[in-house]
């Protein structure tokens, strides 16, 4: 899994700096990120407060866990169907 360099707090802080009037290219250079990353964050986290961003992260983690559980169940189901079909 890809390692995160910036926490939710840092991302929200960088976006608030931009909202306060800082130049995007200067922010990107200062924090060592690309402008594409900044605009992706803005699309995802734009207008969110820190508590909302943490809730979003928790929901994304739960969604990923549930998707893995569903994939495992479907794989087990397919295996059982194959086993019953061969008899």
């Amino acid at each position: 899994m890809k390692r995160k360099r910036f926490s939710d707090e840092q991302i929200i802080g960088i976006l608030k700096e931009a909202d306060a009037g800082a130049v995007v290219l200067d922010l990107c250079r200062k924090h060592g990120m690309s402008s594409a990353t900044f605009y992706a964050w803005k699309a995802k986290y734009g207008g969110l407060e820190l508590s909302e961003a943490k809730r979003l992260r928790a929901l994304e983690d739960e969604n990923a866990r549930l998707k893995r559980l569903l994939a495992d169940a479907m794989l087990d189901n397919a295996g059982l169907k194959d086993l019953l079909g061969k008899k």
Side-chain angles (χ1 to χ4, degrees):
M1 188 170 172
K2 192 166 132 180
R3 182 178 69 96
K4 286 188 61 167
R5 286 183 49 199
F6 296 96
S7 66
D8 291 337
E9 294 89 5
Q10 291 171 320
I11 293 170
I12 298 293
I14 292 169
L15 292 175
K16 287 190 180 192
E17 283 183 54
D19 288 341
V23 179
V24 173
L25 292 177
D26 292 340
L27 279 175
C28 293
R29 192 175 307 115
K30 176 182 170 185
H31 295 287
M33 61 185 193
S34 69
S35 59
T37 300
F38 173 82
Y39 289 112
W41 288 348
K42 188 173 181 180
K44 185 173 182 180
Y45 295 104
L48 292 182
E49 293 298 322
L50 184 57
S51 61
E52 295 168 332
K54 287 184 179 183
R55 176 76 177 136
L56 175 65
R57 177 74 49 166
L59 288 173
E60 287 174 344
D61 291 343
E62 181 182 7
N63 191 28
R65 185 183 60 83
L66 291 173
K67 283 182 179 182
R68 282 192 302 273
L69 286 173
L70 177 63
D72 289 342
M74 290 175 70
L75 186 61
D76 291 343
N77 192 8
L80 289 173
K81 282 183 180 179
D82 287 344
L83 183 66
L84 291 175
K86 290 182 181 178
K87 284 188 175 183

